[in-house]
């Protein structure tokens, strides 16, 4: 038994070993046929990303996808003041739990490195971290919530693709567009891991930045519609539905562990999610506030902000860029599912990208099918936020952190100590307990009730397999000549 001081010092090299081993494991992707690829080759520049900047782009790009278009809808349900306050609150709350996940990942890696476990051909995932730290029951819970969340997150991307393209080309209904984009998004099976999303993350964030500022400027230039009203909040169901949509907005943690594992030095991730969230605020707050200011209560029946803005080249450009970004986000959401499926069928260690891509295809089929069954753009965001994100992103990480460091020896030998702004373990426990209590009552409880009530209303109104959800009739039937009307 090591004395306390020596035990604490022993934990520091363990973290360094984890970092060095991670560099070796991820660097192995650069080796082909026993030869190391050139350090400054174009392939490395565009394909092999593992820096802190790559992680920042991945986090920021993954946070603001199609939800950017539904935040004005949430503001119409919440009202302007609540919308701004809840965005800020859940943004910081999400950054805190992302920090907890990063700490638990480092702890897991440090313990495994002491056991000489190699991860050279293995991508660590969140459920494996829970298994290593807390046991099989936590593994099962993490696997169930995380995979279901990612499954419906991918479904939402397909629904959003069909919803957006309809505003450029309404000759095909949204269901047909879902068929088409399902086939297009299936090509993400060829992207091996988050290590290879460097150029896509960079482009994706640029696309959402353009779209956010287009919404802001277009709404300001358009001005308020005649007789605009801002009556929200009016109903508890709508209020908590909007709140859970914002809860979902800052819940991109389902891929946090995979993004960390793709980094050369995962210790640098600790505050990356917070920095990404601060940038995301500059996109979501102005665009949602400006669009709600311009259109007010009209947004209650238009969950996609594009539907209210006049057609123009600027809007068409925003739609196209969002389509490309949703393809990227579909890959972000599906890649962890690909990894899980590969591990189930024993293909995760296969070095052939073509064989892995072929093995991944069965994952896309249920996603495609669910997008056709439930084409409800805004309501499904809220339902996923309340029932899945609340546990996956907020409750499970906070509880896992509390239980992992519940003993004095675990706290003493922790690979990562409490942060400088909250240096007390007691303070960490208090904050985590508040997170669990708030999200369990407000997010899962009230939010779950409201979002499912709203979701059932959509099913009752539009039915399953809706051909064109919330579609105006752009081509009304021509009026009959007077003679034919008389005959009828």
């Amino acid at each position: 038994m090591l004395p306390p001081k020596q035990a604490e010092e022993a934990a520091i090299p363990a973290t360094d070993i984890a970092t060095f081993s991670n560099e070796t494991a991820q660097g192995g992707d650069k080796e082909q046929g026993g030869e190391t690829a050139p350090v400054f080759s174009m392939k490395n520049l565009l394909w092999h990303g593992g820096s802190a900047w790559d992680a920042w782009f991945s986090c920021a790009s993954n946070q603001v996808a199609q939800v950017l278009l539904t935040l004005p809808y949430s503001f119409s349900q919440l009202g302007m003041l609540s919308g701004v306050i809840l965005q800020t609150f859940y943004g910081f709350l999400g950054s805190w739990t992302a920090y907890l996940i990063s700490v638990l990942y480092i702890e897991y890696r440090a313990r495994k490195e002491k056991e000489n476990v190699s991860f050279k051909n293995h991508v660590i995932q969140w459920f494996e971290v829970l298994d290593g730290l807390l046991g099989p029951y936590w593994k099962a819970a993490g696997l169930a919530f995380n995979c279901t969340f990612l499954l419906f997150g991918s479904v939402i991307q397909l629904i959003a693709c069909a919803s957006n393209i309809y505003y450029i080309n309404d000759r095909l209904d949204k269901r047909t567009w879902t068929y088409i984009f399902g086939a297009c998004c299936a090509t993400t099976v060829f992207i091996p891991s988050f290590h290879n999303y460097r150029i896509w993350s960079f482009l994706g964030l640029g696309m959402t930045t353009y779209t956010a500022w287009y919404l802001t400027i277009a709404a300001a230039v358009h001005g308020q519609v005649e007789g605009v009203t801002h009556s929200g909040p009016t109903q508890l169901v709508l209020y908590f539905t909007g709140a859970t949509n914002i809860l979902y907005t800052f819940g991109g943690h389902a891929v946090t562990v995979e993004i960390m594992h793709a980094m050369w030095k995962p210790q640098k991730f600790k505050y990356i999610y917070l920095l990404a969230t601060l940038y995301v605020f500059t996109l979501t707050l102005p665009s949602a506030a400006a669009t709600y200011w311009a259109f007010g209560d009209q947004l209650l029946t238009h969950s996609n902000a594009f539907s209210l803005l006049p057609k123009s080249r600027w809007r068409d450009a925003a739609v196209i860029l969002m389509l490309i970004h949703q393809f990227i986000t579909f890959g972000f959401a599906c890649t962890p599912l690909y990894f899980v499926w590969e591990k189930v069928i024993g293909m995760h260690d296969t070095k052939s990208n073509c064989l892995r891509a072929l093995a991944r295809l069965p994952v896309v089929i249920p996603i495609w099918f669910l997008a056709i069954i439930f084409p409800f753009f805004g309501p499904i965001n809220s339902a996923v936020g309340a029932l899945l994100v609340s546990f996956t992103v907020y409750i499970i990480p906070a509880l896992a952190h509390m239980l992992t460091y519940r003993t004095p020896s675990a706290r003493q030998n922790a690979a990562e100590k409490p942060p400088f702004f909250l240096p007390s373990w007691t303070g960490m426990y208090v904050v985590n307990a508040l997170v669990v209590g708030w999200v369990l009552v407000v997010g899962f409880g009230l939010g779950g009730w409201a979002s499912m009530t709203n979701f059932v209303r959509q099913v009752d109104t539009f039915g399953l397999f809706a051909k064109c959800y919330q579609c105006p009739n752009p081509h009304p039937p021509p009026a009959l000549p007077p003679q034919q009307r008389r005959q009828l």
Side-chain angles (χ1 to χ4, degrees), residues 28-62:
D29 292 341
K30 296 183 180 182
E31 296 179 2
Q32 298 175 352
E35 297 181 3
T36 304
V39 176
F40 294 106
S41 69
M42 185 59 69
K43 181 179 179 181
N44 287 350
L45 179 65
L46 301 178
W47 190 248
H48 293 293
S51 67
W53 278 106
D54 289 309
W56 183 84
F57 277 113
S58 292
C59 289
S61 178
N62 190 46

mmCIF file of all heavy atoms in Angstrom, residues 28-62:
data_model
loop_
_atom_site.group_PDB
_atom_site.id
_atom_site.type_symbol
_atom_site.label_atom_id
_atom_site.label_comp_id
_atom_site.label_asym_id
_atom_site.label_seq_id
_atom_site.Cartn_x
_atom_site.Cartn_y
_atom_site.Cartn_z
ATOM 1 N N GLY A 28 -1.079 5.571 -35.525
ATOM 2 C CA GLY A 28 -1.021 4.364 -36.325
ATOM 3 C C GLY A 28 -1.849 4.446 -37.580
ATOM 4 O O GLY A 28 -1.611 3.729 -38.542
ATOM 5 N N ASP A 29 -2.851 5.353 -37.621
ATOM 6 C CA ASP A 29 -3.652 5.508 -38.821
ATOM 7 C C ASP A 29 -2.833 6.046 -39.973
ATOM 8 O O ASP A 29 -3.228 5.947 -41.111
ATOM 9 C CB ASP A 29 -4.825 6.466 -38.559
ATOM 10 C CG ASP A 29 -5.832 5.855 -37.611
ATOM 11 O OD1 ASP A 29 -5.806 4.621 -37.472
ATOM 12 O OD2 ASP A 29 -6.626 6.602 -37.033
ATOM 13 N N LYS A 30 -1.713 6.647 -39.667
ATOM 14 C CA LYS A 30 -0.902 7.246 -40.716
ATOM 15 C C LYS A 30 0.019 6.232 -41.378
ATOM 16 O O LYS A 30 0.682 6.528 -42.361
ATOM 17 C CB LYS A 30 -0.052 8.391 -40.147
ATOM 18 C CG LYS A 30 -0.878 9.558 -39.623
ATOM 19 C CD LYS A 30 0.034 10.674 -39.155
ATOM 20 C CE LYS A 30 -0.765 11.845 -38.628
ATOM 21 N NZ LYS A 30 0.074 12.967 -38.196
ATOM 22 N N GLU A 31 0.106 5.056 -40.812
ATOM 23 C CA GLU A 31 1.021 4.064 -41.348
ATOM 24 C C GLU A 31 0.304 3.186 -42.351
ATOM 25 O O GLU A 31 -0.744 2.624 -42.089
ATOM 26 C CB GLU A 31 1.574 3.209 -40.209
ATOM 27 C CG GLU A 31 2.420 4.015 -39.235
ATOM 28 C CD GLU A 31 2.942 3.175 -38.108
ATOM 29 O OE1 GLU A 31 2.685 1.963 -38.110
ATOM 30 O OE2 GLU A 31 3.605 3.728 -37.246
ATOM 31 N N GLN A 32 0.884 3.080 -43.524
ATOM 32 C CA GLN A 32 0.306 2.268 -44.573
ATOM 33 C C GLN A 32 1.401 1.383 -45.146
ATOM 34 O O GLN A 32 2.409 1.874 -45.656
ATOM 35 C CB GLN A 32 -0.297 3.151 -45.674
ATOM 36 C CG GLN A 32 -1.417 4.021 -45.148
ATOM 37 C CD GLN A 32 -1.922 4.980 -46.214
ATOM 38 O OE1 GLN A 32 -1.338 5.082 -47.274
ATOM 39 N NE2 GLN A 32 -3.002 5.662 -45.906
ATOM 40 N N GLY A 33 1.182 0.088 -45.071
ATOM 41 C CA GLY A 33 2.166 -0.832 -45.611
ATOM 42 C C GLY A 33 3.509 -0.766 -44.929
ATOM 43 O O GLY A 33 4.546 -0.993 -45.542
ATOM 44 N N GLY A 34 3.528 -0.389 -43.651
ATOM 45 C CA GLY A 34 4.776 -0.342 -42.906
ATOM 46 C C GLY A 34 5.542 0.946 -43.092
ATOM 47 O O GLY A 34 6.575 1.156 -42.500
ATOM 48 N N GLU A 35 5.036 1.866 -43.938
ATOM 49 C CA GLU A 35 5.701 3.133 -44.145
ATOM 50 C C GLU A 35 4.862 4.249 -43.570
ATOM 51 O O GLU A 35 3.639 4.241 -43.649
ATOM 52 C CB GLU A 35 5.919 3.382 -45.645
ATOM 53 C CG GLU A 35 6.841 2.348 -46.297
ATOM 54 C CD GLU A 35 7.050 2.649 -47.767
ATOM 55 O OE1 GLU A 35 6.519 3.667 -48.230
ATOM 56 O OE2 GLU A 35 7.746 1.868 -48.432
ATOM 57 N N THR A 36 5.556 5.238 -42.996
ATOM 58 C CA THR A 36 4.852 6.364 -42.411
ATOM 59 C C THR A 36 4.569 7.402 -43.476
ATOM 60 O O THR A 36 5.449 7.778 -44.244
ATOM 61 C CB THR A 36 5.698 6.990 -41.278
ATOM 62 O OG1 THR A 36 5.997 5.981 -40.328
ATOM 63 C CG2 THR A 36 4.935 8.118 -40.616
ATOM 64 N N ALA A 37 3.335 7.876 -43.526
ATOM 65 C CA ALA A 37 2.959 8.878 -44.511
ATOM 66 C C ALA A 37 3.693 10.183 -44.240
ATOM 67 O O ALA A 37 4.029 10.489 -43.098
ATOM 68 C CB ALA A 37 1.449 9.110 -44.468
ATOM 69 N N PRO A 38 3.974 11.017 -45.262
ATOM 70 C CA PRO A 38 4.657 12.288 -45.059
ATOM 71 C C PRO A 38 3.880 13.174 -44.093
ATOM 72 O O PRO A 38 2.653 13.239 -44.131
ATOM 73 C CB PRO A 38 4.672 12.901 -46.474
ATOM 74 C CG PRO A 38 4.524 11.740 -47.396
ATOM 75 C CD PRO A 38 3.701 10.746 -46.671
ATOM 76 N N VAL A 39 4.624 13.853 -43.225
ATOM 77 C CA VAL A 39 4.001 14.624 -42.168
ATOM 78 C C VAL A 39 3.152 15.756 -42.732
ATOM 79 O O VAL A 39 2.067 16.044 -42.255
ATOM 80 C CB VAL A 39 5.085 15.184 -41.214
ATOM 81 C CG1 VAL A 39 4.450 16.086 -40.162
ATOM 82 C CG2 VAL A 39 5.826 14.049 -40.541
ATOM 83 N N PHE A 40 3.631 16.421 -43.783
ATOM 84 C CA PHE A 40 2.934 17.579 -44.309
ATOM 85 C C PHE A 40 2.241 17.299 -45.635
ATOM 86 O O PHE A 40 2.081 18.162 -46.466
ATOM 87 C CB PHE A 40 3.921 18.754 -44.489
ATOM 88 C CG PHE A 40 4.470 19.249 -43.187
ATOM 89 C CD1 PHE A 40 5.775 18.968 -42.817
ATOM 90 C CD2 PHE A 40 3.681 19.987 -42.310
ATOM 91 C CE1 PHE A 40 6.280 19.415 -41.612
ATOM 92 C CE2 PHE A 40 4.176 20.431 -41.101
ATOM 93 C CZ PHE A 40 5.484 20.146 -40.742
ATOM 94 N N SER A 41 1.836 16.054 -45.855
ATOM 95 C CA SER A 41 1.136 15.730 -47.093
ATOM 96 C C SER A 41 -0.265 16.333 -47.075
ATOM 97 O O SER A 41 -0.818 16.627 -46.022
ATOM 98 C CB SER A 41 1.043 14.209 -47.263
ATOM 99 O OG SER A 41 0.163 13.670 -46.302
ATOM 100 N N MET A 42 -0.837 16.505 -48.265
ATOM 101 C CA MET A 42 -2.182 17.048 -48.377
ATOM 102 C C MET A 42 -3.193 16.129 -47.679
ATOM 103 O O MET A 42 -4.160 16.590 -47.081
ATOM 104 C CB MET A 42 -2.552 17.215 -49.851
ATOM 105 C CG MET A 42 -3.904 17.885 -50.070
ATOM 106 S SD MET A 42 -4.005 19.535 -49.334
ATOM 107 C CE MET A 42 -2.860 20.419 -50.407
ATOM 108 N N LYS A 43 -2.954 14.812 -47.759
ATOM 109 C CA LYS A 43 -3.859 13.864 -47.096
ATOM 110 C C LYS A 43 -3.886 14.101 -45.595
ATOM 111 O O LYS A 43 -4.947 14.099 -44.964
ATOM 112 C CB LYS A 43 -3.412 12.436 -47.396
ATOM 113 C CG LYS A 43 -4.319 11.376 -46.769
ATOM 114 C CD LYS A 43 -3.838 9.982 -47.118
ATOM 115 C CE LYS A 43 -4.724 8.928 -46.464
ATOM 116 N NZ LYS A 43 -4.265 7.553 -46.759
ATOM 117 N N ASN A 44 -2.705 14.311 -44.998
ATOM 118 C CA ASN A 44 -2.656 14.577 -43.562
ATOM 119 C C ASN A 44 -3.346 15.890 -43.222
ATOM 120 O O ASN A 44 -4.026 16.008 -42.202
ATOM 121 C CB ASN A 44 -1.206 14.620 -43.085
ATOM 122 C CG ASN A 44 -0.576 13.244 -43.046
ATOM 123 O OD1 ASN A 44 -1.262 12.240 -43.198
ATOM 124 N ND2 ASN A 44 0.731 13.187 -42.877
ATOM 125 N N LEU A 45 -3.158 16.892 -44.100
ATOM 126 C CA LEU A 45 -3.730 18.204 -43.839
ATOM 127 C C LEU A 45 -5.253 18.155 -43.805
ATOM 128 O O LEU A 45 -5.900 18.774 -42.960
ATOM 129 C CB LEU A 45 -3.259 19.196 -44.912
ATOM 130 C CG LEU A 45 -3.790 20.637 -44.785
ATOM 131 C CD1 LEU A 45 -3.271 21.282 -43.510
ATOM 132 C CD2 LEU A 45 -3.384 21.453 -46.004
ATOM 133 N N LEU A 46 -5.868 17.392 -44.710
ATOM 134 C CA LEU A 46 -7.318 17.365 -44.844
ATOM 135 C C LEU A 46 -7.975 16.211 -44.092
ATOM 136 O O LEU A 46 -9.150 16.275 -43.770
ATOM 137 C CB LEU A 46 -7.705 17.283 -46.323
ATOM 138 C CG LEU A 46 -7.224 18.415 -47.219
ATOM 139 C CD1 LEU A 46 -7.656 18.164 -48.650
ATOM 140 C CD2 LEU A 46 -7.719 19.770 -46.742
ATOM 141 N N TRP A 47 -7.232 15.141 -43.818
ATOM 142 C CA TRP A 47 -7.844 13.885 -43.386
ATOM 143 C C TRP A 47 -7.511 13.507 -41.951
ATOM 144 O O TRP A 47 -8.359 13.024 -41.213
ATOM 145 C CB TRP A 47 -7.390 12.794 -44.348
ATOM 146 C CG TRP A 47 -8.089 11.470 -44.208
ATOM 147 C CD1 TRP A 47 -7.546 10.303 -43.765
ATOM 148 C CD2 TRP A 47 -9.447 11.161 -44.539
ATOM 149 N NE1 TRP A 47 -8.473 9.290 -43.800
ATOM 150 C CE2 TRP A 47 -9.658 9.785 -44.276
ATOM 151 C CE3 TRP A 47 -10.510 11.904 -45.039
ATOM 152 C CZ2 TRP A 47 -10.871 9.154 -44.488
ATOM 153 C CZ3 TRP A 47 -11.723 11.281 -45.247
ATOM 154 C CH2 TRP A 47 -11.888 9.922 -44.980
ATOM 155 N N HIS A 48 -6.239 13.710 -41.533
ATOM 156 C CA HIS A 48 -5.793 13.231 -40.222
ATOM 157 C C HIS A 48 -5.814 14.380 -39.214
ATOM 158 O O HIS A 48 -4.875 15.157 -39.121
ATOM 159 C CB HIS A 48 -4.375 12.650 -40.315
ATOM 160 C CG HIS A 48 -4.314 11.394 -41.118
ATOM 161 N ND1 HIS A 48 -4.908 10.217 -40.726
ATOM 162 C CD2 HIS A 48 -3.739 11.125 -42.314
ATOM 163 C CE1 HIS A 48 -4.697 9.282 -41.633
ATOM 164 N NE2 HIS A 48 -3.994 9.806 -42.607
ATOM 165 N N GLY A 49 -6.894 14.482 -38.446
ATOM 166 C CA GLY A 49 -7.021 15.551 -37.465
ATOM 167 C C GLY A 49 -7.014 15.022 -36.054
ATOM 168 O O GLY A 49 -7.773 14.118 -35.715
ATOM 169 N N GLY A 50 -6.165 15.595 -35.197
ATOM 170 C CA GLY A 50 -6.135 15.164 -33.813
ATOM 171 C C GLY A 50 -5.738 16.275 -32.859
ATOM 172 O O GLY A 50 -5.452 16.019 -31.690
ATOM 173 N N SER A 51 -5.766 17.518 -33.344
ATOM 174 C CA SER A 51 -5.341 18.634 -32.509
ATOM 175 C C SER A 51 -6.513 19.156 -31.679
ATOM 176 O O SER A 51 -7.665 18.757 -31.858
ATOM 177 C CB SER A 51 -4.806 19.774 -33.385
ATOM 178 O OG SER A 51 -5.858 20.336 -34.161
ATOM 179 N N ALA A 52 -6.198 20.089 -30.777
ATOM 180 C CA ALA A 52 -7.249 20.726 -29.983
ATOM 181 C C ALA A 52 -8.184 21.531 -30.885
ATOM 182 O O ALA A 52 -9.396 21.610 -30.632
ATOM 183 C CB ALA A 52 -6.626 21.626 -28.920
ATOM 184 N N TRP A 53 -7.629 22.137 -31.934
ATOM 185 C CA TRP A 53 -8.467 22.885 -32.876
ATOM 186 C C TRP A 53 -9.442 21.962 -33.598
ATOM 187 O O TRP A 53 -10.600 22.326 -33.828
ATOM 188 C CB TRP A 53 -7.600 23.622 -33.890
ATOM 189 C CG TRP A 53 -7.058 24.918 -33.371
ATOM 190 C CD1 TRP A 53 -5.787 25.192 -32.978
ATOM 191 C CD2 TRP A 53 -7.804 26.132 -33.166
ATOM 192 N NE1 TRP A 53 -5.679 26.486 -32.538
ATOM 193 C CE2 TRP A 53 -6.902 27.088 -32.648
ATOM 194 C CE3 TRP A 53 -9.139 26.490 -33.367
ATOM 195 C CZ2 TRP A 53 -7.299 28.381 -32.334
ATOM 196 C CZ3 TRP A 53 -9.533 27.789 -33.057
ATOM 197 C CH2 TRP A 53 -8.616 28.718 -32.547
ATOM 198 N N ASP A 54 -8.971 20.780 -33.982
ATOM 199 C CA ASP A 54 -9.875 19.809 -34.625
ATOM 200 C C ASP A 54 -11.031 19.458 -33.698
ATOM 201 O O ASP A 54 -12.189 19.379 -34.130
ATOM 202 C CB ASP A 54 -9.111 18.532 -34.988
ATOM 203 C CG ASP A 54 -8.144 18.749 -36.140
ATOM 204 O OD1 ASP A 54 -8.576 19.287 -37.166
ATOM 205 O OD2 ASP A 54 -6.976 18.380 -35.995
ATOM 206 N N ALA A 55 -10.717 19.243 -32.419
ATOM 207 C CA ALA A 55 -11.760 18.909 -31.453
ATOM 208 C C ALA A 55 -12.733 20.072 -31.277
ATOM 209 O O ALA A 55 -13.951 19.874 -31.169
ATOM 210 C CB ALA A 55 -11.129 18.534 -30.109
ATOM 211 N N TRP A 56 -12.202 21.310 -31.258
ATOM 212 C CA TRP A 56 -13.066 22.484 -31.123
ATOM 213 C C TRP A 56 -14.023 22.598 -32.306
ATOM 214 O O TRP A 56 -15.225 22.827 -32.141
ATOM 215 C CB TRP A 56 -12.214 23.746 -31.023
ATOM 216 C CG TRP A 56 -13.040 24.989 -30.800
ATOM 217 C CD1 TRP A 56 -13.501 25.466 -29.606
ATOM 218 C CD2 TRP A 56 -13.530 25.890 -31.804
ATOM 219 N NE1 TRP A 56 -14.232 26.615 -29.804
ATOM 220 C CE2 TRP A 56 -14.265 26.896 -31.135
ATOM 221 C CE3 TRP A 56 -13.410 25.950 -33.183
ATOM 222 C CZ2 TRP A 56 -14.870 27.948 -31.815
ATOM 223 C CZ3 TRP A 56 -14.018 26.995 -33.875
ATOM 224 C CH2 TRP A 56 -14.737 27.989 -33.188
ATOM 225 N N PHE A 57 -13.501 22.434 -33.503
ATOM 226 C CA PHE A 57 -14.353 22.495 -34.691
ATOM 227 C C PHE A 57 -15.401 21.380 -34.664
ATOM 228 O O PHE A 57 -16.565 21.595 -35.027
ATOM 229 C CB PHE A 57 -13.516 22.388 -35.970
ATOM 230 C CG PHE A 57 -12.911 23.692 -36.408
ATOM 231 C CD1 PHE A 57 -11.537 23.887 -36.377
ATOM 232 C CD2 PHE A 57 -13.718 24.728 -36.841
ATOM 233 C CE1 PHE A 57 -10.981 25.098 -36.775
ATOM 234 C CE2 PHE A 57 -13.169 25.940 -37.242
ATOM 235 C CZ PHE A 57 -11.793 26.130 -37.208
ATOM 236 N N SER A 58 -14.995 20.193 -34.232
ATOM 237 C CA SER A 58 -15.942 19.075 -34.175
ATOM 238 C C SER A 58 -17.065 19.360 -33.180
ATOM 239 O O SER A 58 -18.244 19.119 -33.476
ATOM 240 C CB SER A 58 -15.214 17.784 -33.784
ATOM 241 O OG SER A 58 -14.333 17.375 -34.801
ATOM 242 N N CYS A 59 -16.712 19.875 -32.000
ATOM 243 C CA CYS A 59 -17.732 20.159 -30.977
ATOM 244 C C CYS A 59 -18.670 21.279 -31.423
ATOM 245 O O CYS A 59 -19.893 21.171 -31.296
ATOM 246 C CB CYS A 59 -17.056 20.534 -29.658
ATOM 247 S SG CYS A 59 -16.233 19.164 -28.839
ATOM 248 N N ALA A 60 -18.098 22.369 -31.939
ATOM 249 C CA ALA A 60 -18.923 23.500 -32.353
ATOM 250 C C ALA A 60 -19.797 23.137 -33.546
ATOM 251 O O ALA A 60 -20.976 23.513 -33.622
ATOM 252 C CB ALA A 60 -18.044 24.695 -32.680
ATOM 253 N N SER A 61 -19.235 22.395 -34.490
ATOM 254 C CA SER A 61 -19.993 22.003 -35.675
ATOM 255 C C SER A 61 -21.111 21.036 -35.325
ATOM 256 O O SER A 61 -22.219 21.105 -35.866
ATOM 257 C CB SER A 61 -19.052 21.359 -36.698
ATOM 258 O OG SER A 61 -19.743 20.920 -37.838
ATOM 259 N N ASN A 62 -20.840 20.147 -34.374
ATOM 260 C CA ASN A 62 -21.826 19.137 -34.008
ATOM 261 C C ASN A 62 -22.971 19.709 -33.180
ATOM 262 O O ASN A 62 -24.074 19.179 -33.170
ATOM 263 C CB ASN A 62 -21.130 18.011 -33.233
ATOM 264 C CG ASN A 62 -22.022 16.819 -33.018
ATOM 265 O OD1 ASN A 62 -22.690 16.350 -33.934
ATOM 266 N ND2 ASN A 62 -22.057 16.318 -31.799
#
